[in-house]
Amino acid sequence: MKKASVFITLLLTFCLSINTLAFAASDYETDPVPINPGSGSDYETDPIPVPAPDSGAPSSGSTKKVSVKATKIKKLRSSKTKITVIYNKVKGVSGYQVQLAKDKKFKKGRKSVWAKKAKVTKKTVKKLKPNKKYYVRVRAFKTVNGKKHYSKWSKYKTIKTKK
């Protein structure tokens, strides 16, 4: 038992010195397991867990900030009941969200459409009322480990559907 505790102390010292200790010291305390009788010792401890080397990939608990560059609206087109939004492409994104509303603060009559592919730079919002003014904005998003990270919204532009 004395050799095992010395080994644990040395391992802890080594792990602390290279900042890779990812578990508590209580994880090292293990119950003795019987081994072959007559080998000079009656018990041996379980193997000590050793942390895996850092692969460089962010872990699920990582707090690395993901930045997504914003996009701009290039052009707006309207018909009687739909508006087509054309926006700039942004490198390294997963897709875009186009949002329109009946007021500048995007509180009234808000609708959203999603472009789930980064190559799509034109989106149409349908089922709108004719002869109404709408405010439109766009943002890009990037999916990392199943979580969406958004850019800032573009500046809004206004357009009126036709009569």
Side-chain angles (χ1 to χ4, degrees), residues 70-76 85-87 98-99 104 106 134-139 151-158:
T71 185
K72 292 180 183 178
I73 297 173
K74 270 189 191 177
K75 189 188 274 189
L76 294 173
V85 184
I86 301 170
Y87 46 88
V98 177
Q99 192 174 70
K104 289 179 186 181
F106 289 83
Y134 288 96
Y135 297 86
V136 183
R137 64 184 180 179
V138 182
R139 69 178 173 179
S151 71
K152 291 183 179 180
W153 285 107
S154 66
K155 291 183 180 179
Y156 69 84
K157 288 196 174 185
T158 58

Side-chain angles (χ1 to χ4, degrees), residues 87-100:
Y87 46 88
N88 290 331
K89 189 185 245 186
V90 178
K91 286 187 178 181
V93 299
S94 303
Y96 304 92
Q97 179 185 7
V98 177
Q99 192 174 70
L100 65 97

Side-chain angles (χ1 to χ4, degrees), residues 53-66 143-146 149:
D54 188 14
S55 64
S59 66
S60 61
S62 177
T63 58
K64 186 176 181 183
K65 185 161 175 121
V66 176
T143 306
V144 178
N145 294 331
H149 300 273

Side-chain angles (χ1 to χ4, degrees), residues 8-9 15 23 27-28 30 44 48 52 54 59 61 72 82 88 91-93 95 132 148-150 152:
I8 290 171
T9 306
C15 290
F23 40 89
D27 291 342
Y28 289 115
T30 58
E44 184 176 323
I48 297 170
D54 188 14
S59 66
K72 292 180 183 178
K82 57 186 173 181
N88 290 331
K91 286 187 178 181
V93 299
K132 294 286 180 184
K148 286 182 181 171
H149 300 273
Y150 297 94
K152 291 183 179 180

Side-chain angles (χ1 to χ4, degrees), residues 37-56:
S39 64
S41 172
D42 293 332
Y43 293 94
E44 184 176 323
T45 57
D46 288 341
I48 297 170
V50 179
D54 188 14
S55 64

